[in-house]
Amino acid sequence: MRGIRSLAIGAGFACITAALFIQWFLPEMIPATHERRVTRAVRTDLGEIKWIRYESSDYTPLERVGRGVYIREGCWYCHSQYVRPVTGEDVRWGPVSEAGEYAFDLPHLFSTRRIGPDLTRVGLKYGDDWHYAHHWDPRLVVPDSIMPSFTWLFLQIRVPVHRAGDTLTLDPVPAMRRYFTMNVAKPIPIYPNEDGLTFVHPRPDGELPIDGTPQLDLTAYQAHPPVPALRSALLLIPTKELVGLVAYVQKLGMNRGAWREVFEPQTVDVSAMRIPESELLLARGRAVFAQRCIGCHGAKGDGNGVAATFLSPRPRDFTLGEFKFRTTPSGSLPTDGDLFRTITRGVRWTPMPTWHEVPENDRLAVIQYLKSFSDRWRQEKPPAPVYVPDPPAPTPELLARGKELYEKDAKCWQCHGDGGKGDGPSADELKDDFGFPIRPTDFTRGQFKGGSHVRDIYRTMTTGLDGTPMPSFVDSMKADERWAISYYVLSFSAWGDPLTGQKLKISPQAKAALDSPAVRAGSPRLAYDPDGTPTAVSKRNATPRAAADGEQK
Amino acid sequence: MSDVGYLTVGEFLVALLMSLAALSALVWAAASGAFRNVEEVKHRVLELEEEDHARRTP
């Protein structure tokens, strides 16, 4: 009996030891465990998006602060960080996760439950402002959200307000000196909502004090009186922890680069579409608007929703019937197809997210409803869309011509800057038609509000962006000149990281190969390998599955 | 074998080994007499308590 006992206890320990060995030590021997490279979408000099194998990058110190907050607040209980290789995942979230994406995630935060959405691909889906509004009160931007508020990640100062006529001024309390330098030469416009909630944009590094003096700006209510009768304003300043958390969330998935530019579910190529009007559709649209849009655009569609105080640029005011992204000529109404494209794709680098996950019928219905906010829709009809022909093949000569036109004839640099960073001489003074300050687009990040295909840039140059200082160039430039500039504008973001705007370290040989039409590299599976040394992963995937990618090698 | 295949087989192996470990613990416990005369323990507790009570009562 003693023999059996000894044998059993020995076997038990041996089995547990073997299991630990298999679970802990053997995985270290799998190449994928040490893989740091991922497939990454980059824009080439000629404006195309191609896939390349590239080292993933570590978090910045600020993003690490945010990661700490993510772990501390238990975000990972409800949010997973893994796009699974099963049906539909890559259509809903984006490309399936790769091992190298987690190279700097120790411990990894895969999580398993999805009480909230998966966050692997959330980077750059929303603007920073959206995240600030969402953390203050998720219901402001997602009415049916069950996420808790994270109000303790904000500094809150209650400041009395003086009213004189239609102007409101803050009565500086001593606490404000702790958070602001109170430099009178640098006013900081802040926009209160109806309840007095007033968001203050933090410094990029999240530190304090913020340079300048906060001043209440009531532009939003001048077009839509009355001015709210506030006795005090509650200033909200994100703490460094929250600034870090938002930076961390924006970093998620960004090791895969500009994948969103070729993310099929949010690509819409219709323009001349018209939706037949019906009471049923209008009622559905009203419900969808109340569920998805009301927080920012407001119940009256005037862009004064409760969350609007957080957002820059401000949400669109539908009551004027002016729309930026159109295929119709400057100053005219957009087609239903234009609105459908904007809703589906979202407006990148702004708080307007992509809505490709919302059922198509809901998107069509809400277009019908938002047309009811302005009389302009009853008085005018959208004219025929501008014809956007097939783009000419990009060549280095075309780019050189574009550069010349950008700098001399079209004078794009005045607003967008010589380097395309949106820092031209007149950039700081620009205002939109509603009286709000507006920044010219930073081309180096490749986050184009109206779309990032060369056709989108051409369309924007042709029709202009109504309500903004961006004019139409249809009369002043010929079509081939507009194509040349469009390609040049895209080339600012070539080989760049969409998150930081910095250039990637890609060898001249690799760039030349990707610029060549011979290398298609149109999907992660076909990614170009600059080292030419196939990794374990790339070796296995050497034979592409044509049916899965819709592309032959 | 691919990484995923390796990991899958690895997980099966781990599960099998943990089960064997549990089985070994069961065998060890049985061989040690943990399942022999399982009713005995409560009677012993009761008897001990009674003896203890009898000792304390003058």
Side-chain angles (χ1 to χ4, degrees):
Chain A
M1 190 59 76
R2 174 174 286 276
I4 293 176
R5 272 162 59 189
S6 305
L7 191 68
I9 203 158
F13 276 111
C15 286
I16 284 180
T17 311
L20 291 180
F21 182 73
I22 291 171
Q23 186 86 22
W24 282 0
F25 295 103
L26 287 192
E28 285 296 306
M29 293 154 74
I30 303 174
T33 307
H34 304 284
E35 180 67 280
R36 285 196 172 183
R37 294 199 307 166
V38 291
T39 59
R40 182 183 181 113
V42 288
R43 190 178 294 285
T44 68
D45 285 317
L46 303 179
E48 292 172 293
I49 298 285
K50 292 191 178 176
W51 292 80
I52 184 174
R53 290 196 178 281
Y54 193 80
E55 287 272 322
S56 55
S57 60
D58 199 354
Y59 298 104
T60 63
L62 187 64
E63 286 159 2
R64 286 215 168 273
V65 169
R67 194 176 131 86
V69 177
Y70 187 95
I71 294 170
R72 184 191 75 196
E73 300 293 347
C75 305
W76 45 275
Y77 276 115
C78 301
H79 293 286
S80 60
Q81 286 188 21
Y82 184 66
V83 182
R84 302 162 188 165
V86 294
T87 313
E89 289 268 302
D90 56 343
V91 181
R92 184 170 183 199
W93 310 111
V96 170
S97 292
E98 289 180 5
E101 290 187 69
Y102 302 96
F104 300 98
D105 275 6
L106 288 171
H108 71 71
L109 299 170
F110 288 160
S111 192
T112 51
R113 301 180 76 190
R114 284 180 177 172
I115 295 168
D118 184 88
L119 295 184
T120 318
R121 302 276 171 254
V122 79
L124 297 193
K125 181 177 180 183
Y126 309 93
D128 290 359
D129 298 343
W130 185 94
H131 286 294
Y132 291 129
H134 191 234
H135 281 89
W136 173 254
D137 181 1
R139 261 67 56 197
L140 289 182
V141 282
V142 187
D144 45 5
S145 170
I146 54 165
M147 176 167 137
S149 299
F150 289 87
T151 48
W152 57 88
L153 295 176
F154 290 84
L155 298 166
Q156 303 172 36
I157 329 168
R158 177 70 68 181
V159 185
V161 164
H162 280 308
R163 185 177 183 130
D166 266 358
T167 56
L168 296 178
T169 44
L170 291 171
D171 189 7
V173 289
M176 279 171 73
R177 298 201 173 276
R178 293 221 305 271
Y179 305 124
F180 299 94
T181 59
M182 303 306 279
N183 173 6
V184 285
K186 200 171 173 199
I188 305 169
I190 48 177
Y191 306 90
N193 73 6
E194 287 175 357
D195 310 324
L197 201 66
T198 314
F199 179 71
V200 182
H201 281 96
R203 276 168 44 170
D205 60 1
E207 299 287 353
L208 292 168
I210 298 167
D211 187 26
T213 310
Q215 286 182 358
L216 292 179
D217 187 317
L218 301 172
T219 312
Y221 300 102
Q222 276 151 9
H224 302 282
V227 172
L230 299 178
R231 292 192 173 173
S232 66
L234 181 63
L235 305 195
L236 299 180
I237 310 171
T239 57
K240 183 171 181 176
E241 287 190 339
L242 181 56
V243 174
L245 181 60
V246 170
Y248 168 71
V249 167
Q250 295 288 35
K251 164 80 177 171
L252 292 177
M254 278 298 109
N255 279 321
R256 304 298 293 278
W259 65 272
R260 206 178 276 285
E261 309 307 328
V262 283
F263 185 43
E264 206 174 324
Q266 60 181 44
T267 308
V268 181
D269 236 359
V270 290
S271 64
M273 177 176 78
R274 279 207 62 193
I275 308 162
E277 291 168 21
S278 77
E279 278 303 314
L280 209 60
L281 205 60
L282 196 65
R284 178 84 201 120
R286 185 179 293 119
V288 174
F289 190 87
Q291 193 191 354
R292 314 265 184 198
C293 321
I294 210 164
C296 303
H297 293 285
K300 291 181 242 159
D302 56 4
N304 280 342
V306 276
T309 177
F310 290 88
L311 311 180
S312 172
R314 297 274 299 187
R316 177 97 323 200
D317 178 352
F318 295 131
T319 61
L320 295 183
E322 269 190 12
F323 295 88
K324 285 181 189 166
F325 312 111
R326 293 160 293 103
T327 50
T328 54
S330 181
S332 55
L333 288 173
T335 66
D336 291 351
D338 290 335
L339 296 173
F340 186 74
R341 187 183 57 244
T342 304
I343 291 171
T344 305
R345 185 185 184 279
V347 184
R348 202 72 55 71
W349 207 253
T350 77
M352 170 76 178
T354 152
W355 292 109
H356 67 273
E357 291 170 73
V358 171
E360 215 164 67
N361 283 348
D362 283 0
R363 280 179 268 157
L364 295 172
V366 84
I367 290 172
Q368 204 59 232
Y369 182 64
L370 64 86
K371 281 157 74 174
S372 69
F373 287 119
S374 170
D375 284 340
R376 213 180 151 197
W377 290 98
R378 283 178 279 282
Q379 292 153 0
E380 295 175 39
K381 289 275 172 246
V386 171
Y387 175 61
V388 179
D390 278 342
T395 59
E397 295 76 41
L398 193 69
L399 281 180
R401 174 96 179 104
K403 180 174 174 21
E404 193 185 330
L405 291 162
Y406 180 94
E407 288 167 359
K408 291 187 183 146
D409 295 38
K411 296 201 167 52
C412 311
W413 59 270
Q414 284 187 342
C415 300
H416 293 285
D418 285 332
K421 280 187 153 305
D423 56 357
S426 47
D428 291 335
E429 297 145 25
L430 297 179
K431 288 201 166 180
D432 65 12
D433 284 8
F434 308 93
F436 296 108
I438 186 168
R439 295 291 306 178
T441 294
D442 175 356
F443 296 143
T444 60
R445 292 175 190 260
Q447 302 295 302
F448 295 97
K449 295 190 178 72
S452 65
H453 193 275
V454 69
R455 271 199 204 90
D456 298 315
I457 317 284
Y458 177 88
R459 190 189 65 234
T460 300
M461 286 210 64
T462 305
T463 63
L465 297 179
D466 281 4
T468 79
M470 172 71 189
S472 157
F473 287 87
V474 71
D475 297 325
S476 54
M477 309 204 90
K478 292 192 217 120
D480 59 325
E481 293 174 324
R482 274 176 273 144
W483 280 120
I485 292 187
S486 303
Y487 273 116
Y488 181 61
V489 162
L490 273 186
S491 73
F492 280 116
S493 58
W495 320 116
D497 180 356
L499 186 67
T500 61
Q502 287 168 353
K503 297 291 176 199
L504 304 174
K505 289 176 191 144
I506 299 176
S507 68
Q509 293 84 353
K511 286 183 182 175
L514 285 172
D515 276 337
S516 122
V519 176
R520 289 182 65 186
S523 70
R525 207 178 289 275
L526 302 173
Y528 176 77
D529 193 339
D531 296 343
T533 49
T535 60
V537 180
S538 66
K539 219 187 298 173
R540 263 206 331 279
N541 293 335
T543 317
R545 287 189 306 188
D549 296 316
E551 185 177 349
Q552 299 288 345
K553 198 177 185 185
Chain B
M1 195 189 295
S2 69
D3 293 347
V4 175
Y6 176 89
L7 289 171
T8 311
V9 171
E11 292 305 308
F12 273 106
L13 257 179
V14 168
L16 184 70
L17 286 167
M18 297 299 279
S19 312
L20 285 177
L23 183 67
S24 305
L26 180 77
V27 171
W28 170 79
S32 306
F35 303 116
R36 204 175 304 132
N37 202 4
V38 289
E39 303 293 321
E40 167 76 12
V41 179
K42 63 185 180 197
H43 295 143
R44 261 171 56 200
V45 170
L46 197 63
E47 283 160 14
L48 280 173
E49 257 182 23
E50 278 176 355
E51 278 171 23
D52 193 40
H53 184 71
R55 240 197 342 264
R56 282 162 192 256
T57 316

